[in-house]
Amino acid sequence: RIVGNPGGLVERNEAMSYRAAVVAIGLGLVTLVWFSAAMGLRVWLGVLFFLIYFGLAVAITRMRAQFGAPVHDLHFTGPDQILTSALGTRAFPRRDLIVLSLYYWFNRAYRNHPMPFMLEAMRMQERSEARHRGVAQALVIAAAVTVIAAFWTSLHMYYDLGARARGRMFAGESFPKLAGWLQAPTGTNWYALAAIGVGLCFGLFLQVMRLRHMWWPFHPLGFAVSGNWEMNLVWMPLLVAWILKTVIVKYGGHKLYQQVQPAFMGLILGQFVVGSILNIVSIILHIPSYMFWQ
């Protein structure tokens, strides 16, 4: 469709044409690389950095769409970690390492990555037969507002509580990491590369087994998220949910499963409502509240 061959695709219900989307992606990538180069990052490194970043973004979004993984923090797996492990910090001049450390705030972990949430919003719009352009415009407006709100909130928190105490993304972790890069430069981390190779081969093995054998119970994405830090918090609820679903489907069939599904959706909604109200009250009254999955 982009090169002029319609191929049976209809674009009138899309938020924008496929050609416009590709142009927007290209302009966005050029802008990010230009901004990074103005900060001091070499152009080829900026291109490679954001290609890796958006590759991870697509993988995480597919993980949510195909597997429904509730957690995908993937700590310390960003392009800054990959590049410095693969090439070694000695391969980068000081200015490159400084820019990479300043990009640590959106690469430390990916549990709040925006792309999966945007895809889910578009999927809900598709199910409700709402206008594509309206949802896309709402996402753009939300992104603009949240960028300003996030910067203001971070600065307010740092000045109020101290950047060292609450500034994990910068003073607490990013700058000490940069100091280590500069003061103790390293070569290629062959152990990290070997671990990446082993993980790749094992993931491909799980995918092949899943495609060739219907009885194979292990999903490659399950292997990918099993090492998440947050998995130690949710493995028990996931196990309970899996046991209940297995028992209901096995002994009650699909009909019973559909009948009890609203009850479990109600449990999820109740968690959201109660958690949101308690957190709002805690903000107004300046009292601590419990953390909940939102």
Side-chain angles (χ1 to χ4, degrees):
R1 184 74 178 189
I2 294 167
V3 298
N5 180 16
L9 292 175
V10 179
E11 293 182 309
R12 63 174 179 270
N13 292 327
E14 300 293 342
M16 64 176 67
S17 68
Y18 296 115
R19 186 173 297 174
V22 171
V23 171
I25 292 172
L27 290 176
L29 182 60
V30 169
T31 302
L32 289 171
V33 173
W34 169 82
F35 182 84
S36 302
M39 293 175 63
L41 194 68
R42 286 174 291 178
V43 173
W44 71 267
L45 187 57
V47 173
L48 185 58
F49 179 94
F50 284 106
L51 287 178
I52 295 174
Y53 173 78
F54 285 115
L56 288 170
V58 172
I60 293 170
T61 305
R62 184 178 178 85
M63 185 184 298
R64 279 273 282 274
Q66 180 179 343
F67 192 58
V71 291
H72 44 71
D73 41 319
L74 303 178
H75 279 86
F76 315 122
T77 58
D80 54 337
Q81 189 74 25
I82 294 174
L83 292 171
T84 54
S85 296
L87 303 177
T89 55
R90 289 195 186 97
F92 301 96
R94 181 184 297 264
R95 62 182 184 181
D96 284 348
L97 296 176
I98 292 174
V99 177
L100 291 179
S101 68
L102 291 174
Y103 284 169
Y104 181 72
W105 65 273
F106 65 93
N107 287 286
R108 179 181 182 272
Y110 298 107
R111 53 192 171 193
N112 292 324
H113 201 289
M115 190 180 289
F117 296 98
M118 293 180 176
L119 181 68
E120 288 170 349
M122 293 179 178
R123 176 58 175 165
M124 287 188 285
Q125 166 271 321
E126 183 180 299
R127 292 289 297 272
S128 61
E129 299 182 356
R131 292 175 56 248
H132 282 71
R133 293 186 183 275
V135 174
Q137 292 168 357
L139 290 173
V140 171
I141 295 172
V145 172
T146 51
V147 165
I148 299 173
F151 276 106
W152 176 84
T153 303
S154 297
L155 288 174
H156 176 78
M157 181 179 65
Y158 293 168
Y159 276 102
D160 187 36
L161 302 175
R164 183 65 180 173
R166 291 291 184 267
R168 176 181 294 178
M169 298 305 132
F170 290 103
E173 292 184 10
S174 178
F175 293 156
K177 185 177 182 179
L178 173 62
W181 285 348
L182 297 176
Q183 296 172 6
T186 61
T188 299
N189 188 338
W190 296 106
Y191 294 104
L193 292 182
I196 292 174
V198 171
L200 174 63
C201 293
F202 190 63
L204 291 174
F205 165 74
L206 293 176
Q207 179 67 4
V208 170
M209 292 296 292
R210 180 173 175 268
L211 293 176
R212 292 177 63 89
H213 304 287
M214 291 293 294
W215 52 266
W216 184 256
F218 303 109
H219 199 291
L221 291 178
F223 167 68
V225 301
S226 62
N228 285 350
W229 175 85
E230 290 176 329
M231 188 57 68
N232 76 91
L233 303 177
V234 300
W235 71 267
M236 176 60 79
L238 291 177
L239 177 62
V240 172
W242 174 77
I243 292 175
L244 291 175
K245 181 178 179 180
T246 301
V247 172
I248 291 171
V249 173
K250 183 175 182 178
Y251 296 102
H254 186 66
K255 182 178 181 180
L256 180 61
Y257 174 72
Q258 288 185 317
Q259 291 175 344
V260 300
Q261 198 173 36
F264 290 97
M265 295 297 292
L267 290 175
I268 298 174
L269 181 60
Q271 171 77 348
F272 271 76
V273 172
V274 173
S276 299
I277 293 175
L278 290 180
N279 277 271
I280 293 172
V281 172
S282 68
I283 293 173
I284 295 174
L285 300 180
H286 298 284
I287 57 176
S289 178
Y290 84 108
M291 296 178 61
F292 79 106
W293 293 97
Q294 45 181 317

